[in-house]
Amino acid sequence: MRDSGVKELNLGTMRSAKSAQLIMKGYSLDEQGKKVLTFKPEMDTRDGAFVVSRALPIERRATIVPQESDGSIMSSMTWAENPDVILIDELQFFTIPQIEKLAEISLTYDVDIFTYGLMLSYNGKMFEPIKRALECGFKMKTIDMSCDHCNNDATHHTLYIDGMLQIDGEAINVENTKDKTQVYESVCYSCFQRAIDVYEMNKIDHTNKK
Ligand SMILES: [Zn+2]
């Protein structure tokens, strides 16, 4: 049996320039004359059928994978176009069946797959599709960035809505830049826990004052 191609999972926090890395990777592959397919999830609708990064002047056209589909658009396009490389943005917003479809593609076709995404949601839990990708043999690489508050590497996210820390709720919350009251931070574990401690303390204060 032949070796399957590279399956890479590049994980970084918000504003760690993940999409910029995808765009640069795609650019150099294009320059080498390699055939590349780029996909993004339907849930990330901010930039339409493009991967966009605030860090770069160029953008990259991408095929949107519909949320309700099993991801067979990825296998049918791979079959039809025989790419050397598949690039995937915002992997955390794909579904479990779509992740499994990607794993199947890696076994069926001679293609390298480079994916980019977030590991942890603002509730401190790993995104299930990311977990499934690791279970399916994707090799984790990290895109390092400093914590917004100290010099540690950022690993976690905090979400503030109208200044209030959000600790429960939907794991998936697409950043909406139009909504100015919604603020995400990329933080280290220690700053993440400190934010939760402050939240809990304020809650107790509030209860005592009643
Ligand atoms: Zn920190």
Side-chain angles (χ1 to χ4, degrees):
M1 201 175 156
R2 69 169 189 84
D3 292 338
S4 64
V6 172
K7 288 203 300 290
E8 214 174 86
L9 175 51
N10 294 279
L11 295 174
T13 48
M14 285 181 175
R15 298 186 305 281
S16 64
K18 296 179 301 298
S19 297
Q21 297 229 356
L22 182 153
I23 292 167
M24 288 188 289
K25 180 109 194 155
Y27 181 81
S28 56
L29 290 164
D30 291 346
E31 291 291 298
Q32 291 170 329
K34 292 191 175 149
K35 174 102 183 158
V36 181
L37 291 181
T38 307
F39 296 102
K40 64 180 280 188
E42 187 181 10
M43 194 172 289
D44 178 33
T45 53
R46 285 170 297 173
D47 306 304
F50 288 92
V51 176
V52 175
S53 166
R54 274 174 288 179
L56 286 179
I58 53 169
E59 47 192 28
R60 185 168 189 85
R61 188 175 281 281
T63 301
I64 294 170
V65 177
Q67 181 70 15
E68 296 303 322
S69 81
D70 67 351
S72 51
I73 187 173
M74 296 187 289
S75 46
S76 56
M77 282 182 71
T78 302
W79 180 80
E81 302 193 25
N82 192 26
D84 299 295
V85 176
I86 294 173
L87 299 178
I88 310 261
D89 199 27
E90 305 284 7
L91 192 74
Q92 75 280 1
F93 291 147
F94 281 74
T95 65
I96 302 288
Q98 290 168 355
I99 298 291
E100 289 168 350
K101 181 64 75 179
L102 262 183
E104 184 191 305
I105 289 169
S106 78
L107 294 174
T108 311
Y109 300 95
D110 186 16
V111 62
D112 292 338
I113 305 175
F114 295 90
T115 70
Y116 299 78
L118 300 173
M119 181 162 73
L120 303 178
S121 173
Y122 65 84
N123 62 14
K125 300 288 194 298
M126 191 184 283
F127 284 104
E128 288 299 323
I130 297 296
K131 199 171 149 210
R132 190 73 190 113
L134 291 168
E135 289 165 352
C136 290
F138 278 77
K139 189 181 170 196
M140 183 167 93
K141 294 201 169 183
T142 56
I143 301 168
D144 292 337
M145 171 183 151
S146 289
C147 170
D148 285 350
H149 297 294
C150 73
N151 290 325
N152 291 336
D153 280 342
T155 49
H156 286 63
H157 299 105
T158 51
L159 167 61
Y160 292 88
I161 295 179
D162 286 337
M164 279 292 289
L165 182 72
Q166 307 296 304
I167 56 170
D168 306 308
E170 283 289 308
I172 289 171
N173 196 321
V174 181
E175 194 173 15
N176 183 352
T177 46
K178 281 180 210 141
D179 186 355
K180 292 279 190 288
T181 63
Q182 183 169 297
V183 177
Y184 281 98
E185 291 180 337
S186 298
V187 295
C188 68
Y189 180 62
S190 140
C191 291
F192 177 76
Q193 284 301 333
R194 192 169 306 132
I196 291 176
D197 289 348
V198 168
Y199 170 88
E200 297 291 348
M201 247 145 60
N202 287 342
K203 209 164 68 176
I204 291 164
D205 275 1
H206 190 71
T207 316
N208 288 346
K209 275 173 198 155
K210 268 185 186 169

